[in-house]
Amino acid sequence: MDYGELRAGSGIKYQCNQFDFTNHISYMPTFNHSFQAGFGGTWHFYRYLKEFTENDLIVTARFRWMRGPVFSFENAAGFLFKFTTIDVIREYKPLIYNFSYHFSLLCNWHLFNKTDLWCALNLQDYFDYPLAISPFFKLGFNFYAAPDIVLGLDYSLKFVDMFFSAIYLNETVLRFSFKVLI
């Protein structure tokens, strides 16, 4: 859902013995028709059957600058709280708690009122919430096929231990998306 100042989204991903559920919401009032500032939150639930359960909570301060109708720059920074329960040690250690931080940048070019071309740097991704600095570099393209229908294509690279040790490319993902705006 995108109401301009209020944005929200949810997603479910299921693989064999794995279940992901993510919700996010942000509120950013507009000032002087050129920038928005506000806050956001994300809750992610991940269950690997007969292994562990993980909950991630992200709280962020957000900023967006709009240069006319064509270009926007968005930034979010905040904290990641991770709560994990491992099934085999649940009676000895019911909850493992970790604390980290969140950071994201997004540059978007809205072209011809029909397309978006964007690039992003994120420390967490929609269904992937690592603790350490394992950034995601993303490029994407969205096409507005109808007023409420968006077709998308994005490519992401995930690097592990980018600043602490020997960096390596952990995964590359090519996604096709179909979005219905509410």
Side-chain angles (χ1 to χ4, degrees), residues 26-82:
S26 65
Y27 176 67
M28 297 186 302
T30 304
F31 301 95
N32 295 340
H33 304 288
S34 62
F35 72 93
Q36 296 176 301
F39 55 91
T42 300
W43 172 61
H44 171 246
F45 174 80
Y46 177 57
R47 175 68 179 152
Y48 196 106
L49 298 177
K50 299 180 184 173
E51 297 291 328
F52 67 89
T53 301
E54 184 176 274
N55 283 280
D56 301 297
L57 180 62
I58 298 175
V59 179
T60 59
R62 306 183 70 82
F63 174 80
R64 182 178 184 206
W65 175 65
M66 297 160 288
R67 178 74 174 154
V70 176
F71 179 75
S72 67
F73 169 82
E74 191 167 332
N75 176 248
F79 299 102
L80 166 67
F81 304 95
K82 187 179 286 285

Side-chain angles (χ1 to χ4, degrees), residues 102-169:
H102 171 80
F103 184 79
S104 66
L105 291 173
L106 171 69
C107 292
N108 186 54
W109 292 266
H110 187 67
L111 307 170
F112 312 114
N113 286 332
K114 285 283 191 186
T115 61
D116 284 333
L117 181 62
W118 55 270
C119 61
L121 166 65
N122 299 323
L123 291 184
Q124 286 84 24
D125 201 10
Y126 204 76
F127 291 114
D128 196 351
Y129 297 86
L131 283 171
I133 297 178
S134 299
F136 298 84
F137 294 97
K138 303 175 91 173
L139 293 171
F141 177 80
N142 293 333
F143 176 71
Y144 295 83
D148 296 331
I149 305 292
V150 182
L151 304 174
L153 172 70
D154 68 82
Y155 180 67
S156 74
L157 302 166
K158 178 184 177 184
F159 291 92
V160 173
D161 294 333
M162 185 144 200
F163 301 104
F164 296 123
S165 64
I167 182 176
Y168 69 91
L169 178 62

